[in-house]
Amino acid sequence: MAVFGTAALIVTFALAVYATGAALLAARRRDRRLMQSAANALMAGFATTLAATVCLLIALARHDFSIQTVATTTSRELPLQYRLSALWASQEGSLLLWLTVLTGAASLVMLQNRRRNRELMPWVAAVLGGIIVFFSGMVAFVSPPFQQVSGAAPANGSGLDPALQNPYMVAHPPMLYLGYVSVAVPFAFAMAALIAGRTDSRWLVAVRRWTLFAWMCLGVGMLLGAHWAYVEIGWGGYWAWDPVENAALMPWLAATAFLHSVMVQEKKGMLKVWNMVLVTATFALALFGTFLTRSGIVGSIHAFVQSGVGVYLLTFIAVVLAVATALIVWRLPMLRSEHRLESVVSREATFLFNNLLLLAFAFAILWGVIFPVLSEAVRGVQSTVSTPYYNFFLVAFGLPLLILTGIGPLVAWRKASVNSLARTFRWPAMSALAAGGLMALAGLGSSAAGLTAFSLCVFVTITIGLEFARGMSARRAVAGTSWSRSLVDLVGRNRRRYGGYVVHLAIVILVVGVTASSAYSTSTQATLAPGQSMNLAGYTLTYDGLSRSRDSNSVTTSAVLKVSRGGQTVGSLSPGQRIYPIEQRSTNEVDIRRSMLTGTDLYTILQGVSQQDGRTVTVKALVNPAVGLIWVAGLVFLIGALITIWPDPREARQLARRYAAALAREA
Amino acid sequence: MSNAAIAVGVALLVAVAVAAVAWPFVSPVRGVPEPVLSERDRHRIELLERRDAAYSGLRDLEHDHRTGKVSDDDYEAERRRLRGEAAGVLRDLDALDSTTGDRPDPPREV
């Protein structure tokens, strides 16, 4: 199995080298057969990579401990789903997954564009082929997933990190990888457009859905990761500005900026250079995220040396940045704007401000991530950049971004007059002020940032509501349809616009959830003997005693807590500590009581069991208001993103009309 | 898995890969050169994009006016400007196509 898997990976590498060379030659000679051969090589590369991945999955499922990856990430006691998800628990396996998704994306691009974008495709194939050469080289020769253990195979493996034995870890990493890898496609098209001198908006149309898909996967992946942290890590929060979390957030922010600025290029022929920079930044940040998670540089700079893959990834990022910069500079004359910004009060200006804030936030995070590494490398001093640093920038950049989320849709393209602005913003602004006053009276003024965020959320929600209401009203006036039909028509005919508004609504829900659960959270901790109680935010938790349970690879000790409110028992919670004998690790198993109505969680953590009497426990409890809205936001985000991604046949027909005539004469 | 089975598997893998890349050269369908746009075609596409951008601008303007984001005066002024821009592009397209005998896409209702 290992030999076959290794051979498959070497064949993938050879195919990628061939595809890159053949595509370059096809571009030079305008040879369609060579191009088809290059495309076939990329698709065959996907098949061989998939074969290698299946080999590793079989080895993981069958306890083939002669393979180091299997021996170090699984054990005989590990349930099947976690044996399979151990594929991405190791560096070697996760790079193999990267390669599988990358070759799959490249194959899909080749199939989608068999008869489209013919001038660009040889260059696209060459760029994607080049990226695959790098990653297949890494997987085949630097970090091989089928490496054998030295000596005889052990009778049992050392097991999987208990924190990774969670259903969310089955879905969260692949989702993030889909996001990281899919941004390679917009990058490849952007570079192809520069090389081919086709800097018109064709490449933007070709990559729009890929960018949206990557951005959606990164967004959903981050929320899945946040939920995993919330229910598994057991500190009561969901986002800790961990470098690995930041690794996904940075390309997502850059992609968000790109998705906005691309509209300015399509509508106004402006920001062409900026869009090239954003696509490059998004891809480079996705690679940097892979570097962060795979090199080990974040834990300690010495791990970077030990890891082996870090230096290759860093070199590759440098090459990507150098080549992209050179191409952009070379094609600067072609990337001139067709129009100038005519007013700072216009849709394009709000998009530009939004871009600057998103990029500034991304680079503030980047600095926070690399500062400890630079500090250790230059001064030899270990330092950390902690939560207050990130929270400062979250508020400093996040609140203006929230304002722009409300303002942008209400401002006309090109320029807006003071009168129309006053008319448009009257209701949203008055509602936000009134809501802010009411919330202050209700006692939410303890956090100025929280109160401001809530007021702005009201502002944005009203603007979105008005946009839908006015759009439906206009649609009804034109078509004379019912309100429900008008809504369907409105969204169906303007998927990008109204799908975008749904995503904005998701951001509002997210901000409410994050603000409420962080600015207004309460917590307490108590050491309890059986029968004793602790109080928090109207809840009384009474400790009844310990319970123990066992499954195939762990033993759990839980404290049974009776929960009452206003003198009435409303349920029970059993936070516990789980011991994994094989892995010799333990984890907190939190227990949460959720209110479906308010989204508020009563969150309990078993901090410890007394060594002296074996019965007294220390319990920490938190009340996280409206935290459930964060997960609701994820669902709304997904719906909005899917509306936006859904293909628009009218647009496809228009593009086909525009290009077919010119190409038909040449073919 | 026996060594023979592994050898057969690897040989099959290589054979499939070679067949995939060689197929376009041995298939009975003759290859033709990849189409490349001439400078004139590029210019034409650029004009078509500008025309479509003007149409799209008019549609957005109409929507913004109907939803109250643009005043009547601003709407009229901007509408005149965008229509003038579209007309200019259409004239350029006519001039370009009259030399080749091609016809631009018919203008659509906006």
Side-chain angles (χ1 to χ4, degrees):
Chain A
M1 194 62 74
V3 175
F4 183 78
T6 304
L9 289 172
I10 292 170
V11 174
T12 304
F13 177 74
L15 284 166
V17 171
Y18 172 80
T20 309
L24 287 172
L25 215 56
R28 197 179 164 81
R29 292 185 185 168
R30 296 169 49 197
D31 187 329
R32 193 175 282 182
R33 286 190 303 185
L34 255 178
M35 177 56 215
Q36 190 51 53
S37 177
N40 286 1
L42 288 176
M43 289 188 271
F46 173 52
T48 51
T49 309
L50 201 59
T53 306
V54 170
C55 284
L56 189 54
L57 285 171
I58 292 171
L60 286 163
R62 287 186 175 177
H63 309 296
D64 185 351
F65 298 126
S66 67
I67 297 171
Q68 200 166 336
T69 309
V70 180
T72 53
T73 56
T74 63
S75 65
R76 291 192 182 280
E77 293 74 15
L78 196 66
L80 178 65
Q81 72 269 28
Y82 297 131
R83 293 209 298 277
L84 297 177
S85 73
L87 176 72
W88 44 87
S90 65
Q91 176 179 281
E92 296 82 3
S94 62
L95 281 174
L96 177 59
L97 181 64
W98 227 102
L99 183 64
T100 310
V101 179
L102 179 61
T103 50
S107 302
L108 194 54
V109 167
M110 294 303 126
L111 286 172
Q112 283 176 330
N113 292 277
R114 271 175 182 273
R115 291 178 183 78
R116 283 187 285 176
N117 302 310
R118 286 230 169 111
E119 241 196 337
L120 293 179
M121 285 318 291
W123 298 112
V124 172
V127 176
L128 286 173
I131 298 169
I132 295 171
V133 166
F134 171 76
F135 277 99
S136 59
M138 293 274 287
V139 175
F141 308 115
V142 179
S143 186
F146 295 100
Q147 193 166 0
Q148 301 286 294
V149 293
S150 52
N156 200 354
S158 48
L160 182 66
D161 184 338
L164 304 182
Q165 296 181 37
N166 180 289
Y168 283 97
M169 290 313 280
V170 176
H172 156 67
M175 191 60 89
L176 278 185
Y177 275 50
L178 274 173
Y180 281 140
V181 176
S182 299
V183 297
V185 176
F187 174 76
F189 270 93
M191 295 304 105
L194 288 171
I195 299 168
R198 288 288 310 276
T199 52
D200 51 70
S201 59
R202 181 64 179 164
W203 76 272
L204 290 177
V205 178
V207 305
R208 190 194 295 145
R209 286 197 174 77
W210 276 100
T211 314
L212 280 164
F213 177 73
W215 171 81
M216 180 182 79
C217 291
L218 283 174
V220 173
M222 279 190 290
L223 279 171
L224 286 173
H227 201 264
W228 164 76
Y230 188 64
V231 300
E232 182 64 35
I233 302 295
W235 91 94
Y238 39 80
W239 190 269
W241 297 106
D242 178 87
V244 177
E245 292 169 334
N246 293 339
L249 182 57
M250 288 185 287
W252 186 83
L253 289 169
T256 308
F258 176 67
L259 287 171
H260 284 86
S261 68
V262 86
M263 285 186 263
V264 180
Q265 180 170 341
E266 285 179 39
K267 301 271 185 198
K268 298 285 167 185
M270 295 159 64
L271 304 182
K272 291 182 181 176
V273 177
W274 181 245
N275 281 326
M276 289 291 177
V277 169
L278 283 179
V279 163
T280 305
T282 305
F283 182 56
L285 286 170
L287 288 174
F288 186 70
T290 312
F291 165 72
L292 277 181
T293 50
R294 292 297 131 221
S295 67
I297 192 169
V298 175
S300 159
I301 193 162
H302 302 107
F304 175 52
V305 180
Q306 290 162 5
S307 150
V309 301
V311 71
Y312 292 100
L313 275 166
L314 210 54
T315 307
F316 186 61
I317 294 169
V319 170
V320 163
L321 287 175
V323 170
T325 306
L327 286 173
I328 293 171
V329 170
W330 176 41
R331 292 300 195 187
L332 271 181
M334 285 187 165
L335 298 170
R336 274 195 301 268
S337 284
E338 290 156 25
H339 295 92
R340 285 175 48 222
L341 191 64
E342 293 184 44
S343 167
V344 289
V345 189
S346 61
R347 181 84 57 89
E348 48 269 48
T350 62
F351 282 179
L352 187 59
F353 297 144
N354 134 312
N355 266 237
L356 294 174
L357 286 167
L358 285 165
L359 257 274
F361 190 28
F363 283 103
I365 295 170
L366 180 64
W367 179 246
V369 171
I370 62 173
F371 179 76
V373 179
L374 292 178
S375 170
E376 192 177 346
V378 176
R379 293 162 51 212
V381 179
Q382 281 197 337
S383 58
T384 54
V385 175
S386 54
T387 303
Y389 167 86
Y390 295 107
N391 282 348
F392 170 78
F393 286 107
L394 177 67
V395 173
F397 294 131
L399 291 181
L401 274 169
L402 194 56
I403 296 173
L404 288 174
T405 307
I407 291 176
L410 296 191
V411 181
W413 287 99
R414 194 165 164 256
K415 67 174 181 183
S417 67
V418 176
N419 281 345
S420 58
L421 280 182
R423 195 173 54 248
T424 314
F425 285 111
R426 191 172 51 211
W427 284 109
M430 280 167 53
S431 307
L433 285 172
L438 285 173
M439 284 186 281
L441 287 174
L444 296 179
S446 58
S447 166
L451 190 64
T452 311
F454 283 149
S455 303
L456 290 176
C457 285
V458 171
F459 173 76
V460 179
T461 307
I462 298 289
T463 63
I464 295 169
L466 282 176
E467 270 297 283
F468 273 94
R470 286 170 178 156
M472 284 158 64
S473 176
R475 186 87 208 122
R476 267 169 61 84
V478 171
T481 49
S482 65
W483 283 104
S484 55
R485 186 72 232 170
S486 302
L487 177 64
V488 172
D489 285 351
L490 186 73
V491 176
R493 284 167 174 268
N494 304 275
R495 290 192 185 116
R496 284 173 83 189
R497 182 195 288 251
Y498 289 96
Y501 291 159
V502 175
V503 171
H504 284 184
L505 188 64
I507 299 296
V508 168
I509 298 170
L510 180 75
V511 171
V512 172
V514 169
T515 306
S517 61
S518 52
Y520 302 98
S521 174
T522 50
S523 68
T524 187
Q525 184 170 312
T527 299
L528 305 170
Q532 288 185 322
S533 300
M534 63 194 289
N535 296 308
L536 177 68
Y539 288 103
T540 300
L541 304 175
T542 306
Y543 171 48
D544 278 350
L546 288 174
S547 75
R548 287 198 169 77
S549 62
R550 176 186 292 273
D551 63 20
S552 66
N553 67 332
S554 65
V555 179
T556 306
T557 304
S558 305
V560 180
L561 301 165
K562 191 175 72 186
V563 183
S564 54
R565 194 175 171 85
Q568 293 209 322
T569 302
V570 292
S572 70
L573 289 169
S574 301
Q577 289 189 331
R578 187 168 289 167
I579 294 168
Y580 294 82
I582 302 290
E583 292 83 0
Q584 297 184 334
R585 300 271 295 273
S586 68
T587 58
N588 276 335
E589 296 301 313
V590 302
D591 203 4
I592 305 167
R593 180 183 164 73
R594 296 204 156 100
S595 162
M596 299 304 282
L597 192 65
T598 62
T600 298
D601 283 358
L602 173 61
Y603 186 102
T604 53
I605 310 161
L606 177 61
Q607 299 281 60
V609 180
S610 168
Q611 298 289 331
Q612 288 163 347
D613 64 7
R615 297 169 63 206
T616 305
V617 294
T618 301
V619 173
K620 184 176 182 182
L622 302 94
V623 169
N624 294 330
V627 70
L629 288 181
I630 295 172
W631 324 125
V632 174
L635 192 64
V636 178
F637 172 83
L638 188 63
I639 292 169
L642 287 174
I643 291 173
T644 315
I645 290 174
W646 210 261
D648 183 348
R650 285 175 308 153
E651 184 186 59
R653 277 200 299 273
Q654 180 187 337
L655 280 166
R657 260 206 317 270
R658 192 190 293 167
Y659 292 92
L663 285 170
R665 283 200 304 279
E666 294 288 340
Chain B
M1 199 184 274
S2 70
N3 287 345
I6 291 170
V8 170
V10 172
L12 266 175
L13 202 70
V14 173
V16 169
V18 170
V21 298
W23 175 248
F25 302 108
V26 296
S27 80
V29 182
R30 256 191 97 230
V32 288
E34 282 290 343
V36 172
L37 298 178
S38 65
E39 280 308 309
R40 179 185 291 273
D41 293 328
R42 284 170 194 268
H43 183 50
R44 188 167 188 274
I45 286 174
E46 191 186 310
L47 289 172
L48 289 170
E49 277 187 6
R50 281 174 49 198
R51 182 204 63 183
D52 290 345
Y55 289 166
S56 160
L58 278 165
R59 270 197 304 275
D60 285 336
L61 181 68
E62 199 71 42
H63 187 273
D64 286 349
H65 181 239
R66 281 203 196 117
T67 52
K69 285 176 220 162
V70 181
S71 67
D72 290 345
D73 291 346
D74 286 347
Y75 168 70
E76 281 305 332
E78 181 65 2
R79 187 161 173 262
R80 246 193 324 275
R81 191 188 69 80
L82 282 170
R83 287 175 76 107
E85 199 172 301
V89 175
L90 287 174
R91 271 196 301 276
D92 290 347
L93 273 170
D94 277 344
L96 186 75
D97 292 327
S98 64
T99 59
T100 59
D102 290 340
R103 289 253 164 255
D105 298 354
R108 288 160 295 146
E109 283 295 316
V110 291

